[in-house]
């Protein structure tokens, strides 16, 4: 069961849990059969940030089940200055069932925004851009950068490949020149207001959902 420091702040103190907090108490009735059930959770309840389907399941059993259904796209984010958006990107990647999240640069990152979803999402570190590019090429993945470069094409009209890795730069500087040069394409997200860019975590969510719309729902671009 998640320890208090791994839970969202409001779930660490039962007295502070808001009305919208999702969780279940101890199992009622005869105990279910199956190796995927967690005896401790069945006895004490399950307040983890998981969908109802996985209530009372062992952590390893949840990951194993997710592994049978992950999508073939990957997500990568550069982390040269300890970007605080990484937790949000990991959480969104988990929601959209990305195969893996790749962190290019520093291994350490702030996990608060992940809301414990990093326990269920495969995460790989690449110390350099060269290491990341070599890995992507060896896996036959298209490298798709997301940033507002002069040579970027609109995400909304681009045919995202099924087997790809969507790469995001850190907040502020955006994609590094090394990733820009290595990318098979760089895509921009249409904006209509006064700001020059949107938050990296928001951009990642939009791009991932673009892949989902194309390859899960079959929505073709114009």
């Amino acid at each position: 069961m998640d320890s208090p420091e791994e839970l969202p702040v409001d779930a660490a103190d039962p007295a502070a849990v808001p009305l919208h907090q999702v969780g279940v108490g101890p199992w009622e009735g005869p105990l279910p059969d199956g190796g995927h059930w967690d005896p401790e959770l069945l006895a004490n309840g399950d307040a983890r940030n998981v969908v109802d389907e996985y209530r009372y399941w062992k952590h390893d059993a949840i990951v194993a089940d997710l592994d049978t259904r992950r999508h073939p796209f990957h997500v990568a984010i550069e982390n040269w200055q300890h970007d605080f958006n990484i937790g949000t990107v990991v959480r969104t990647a988990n929601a959209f069932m990305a195969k893996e999240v790749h962190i290019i640069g520093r291994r350490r990152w702030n996990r608060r925004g992940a809301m414990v979803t990093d326990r269920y999402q495969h995460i790989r570190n690449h110390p350099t851009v060269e290491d990341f590019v070599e890995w992507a090429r060896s896996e036959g993945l298209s490298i798709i950068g997301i940033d507002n470069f002069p040579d970027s094409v609109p995400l909304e009209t681009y045919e995202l490949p099924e087997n790809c890795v969507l790469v995001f730069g850190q907040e502020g500087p955006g994609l590094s020149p090394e990733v820009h040069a290595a990318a098979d394409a760089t895509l921009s997200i249409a904006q209509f207001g006064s700001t020059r860019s949107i938050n990296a975590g928001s951009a990642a969510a939009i791009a991932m959902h673009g892949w989902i719309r194309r390859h899960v729902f079959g929505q073709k671009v114009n």
Side-chain angles (χ1 to χ4, degrees), residues 34-214:
H36 61 288
W37 300 106
D38 187 309
E40 183 178 350
L41 294 176
L42 290 170
N44 300 320
D46 188 352
R48 297 174 301 176
N49 182 27
V50 297
V51 296
D52 289 344
E53 176 186 355
Y54 292 135
R55 289 296 180 196
Y56 304 108
W57 281 38
K58 294 178 181 177
H59 168 260
D60 290 348
I62 295 175
V63 175
D65 188 68
L66 291 173
D67 285 346
T68 67
R69 301 186 288 109
R70 296 190 194 275
H71 295 128
F73 78 93
H74 296 244
V75 178
I77 184 168
E78 296 191 270
N79 186 36
W80 308 113
Q81 299 175 3
H82 201 63
D83 196 305
F84 288 96
N85 287 287
I86 293 177
T88 301
V89 172
V90 169
R91 183 180 181 184
T92 306
N94 172 271
F96 291 136
M97 291 290 287
K99 193 172 185 66
E100 287 187 338
V101 173
H102 302 261
I103 299 173
I104 307 169
R106 295 184 178 183
R107 180 179 296 274
R108 293 178 59 85
W109 54 280
N110 189 308
R111 285 170 165 74
R112 179 174 293 273
M115 295 290 288
V116 200
T117 56
D118 54 300
R119 297 188 60 192
Y120 307 94
Q121 180 66 50
H122 297 300
I123 300 174
R124 188 191 302 245
N125 177 254
H126 302 273
T128 66
V129 172
E130 292 75 16
D131 177 75
F132 165 73
V133 171
E134 181 179 356
W135 167 84
R137 300 298 186 217
S138 71
E139 295 292 318
L141 297 172
S142 297
I143 298 175
I144 307 296
I146 309 295
D147 207 335
N148 293 324
F149 291 120
D151 63 344
S152 293
V153 298
L155 167 68
E156 295 78 13
T157 60
Y158 185 81
E159 186 68 32
L160 281 171
E162 184 175 16
N163 298 299
C164 66
V165 52
L166 305 170
V167 191
F168 306 89
Q170 60 193 357
E171 193 69 22
L175 283 177
S176 67
E178 292 81 9
V179 170
H180 186 195
D184 298 296
T186 53
L187 311 181
S188 60
I189 295 171
Q191 298 173 207
F192 303 93
S194 61
T195 184
R196 291 173 55 88
S197 63
I198 59 176
N199 173 270
S202 300
I206 292 169
M208 282 187 253
H209 195 253
W211 188 98
I212 292 295
R213 291 180 63 178
R214 175 65 186 92

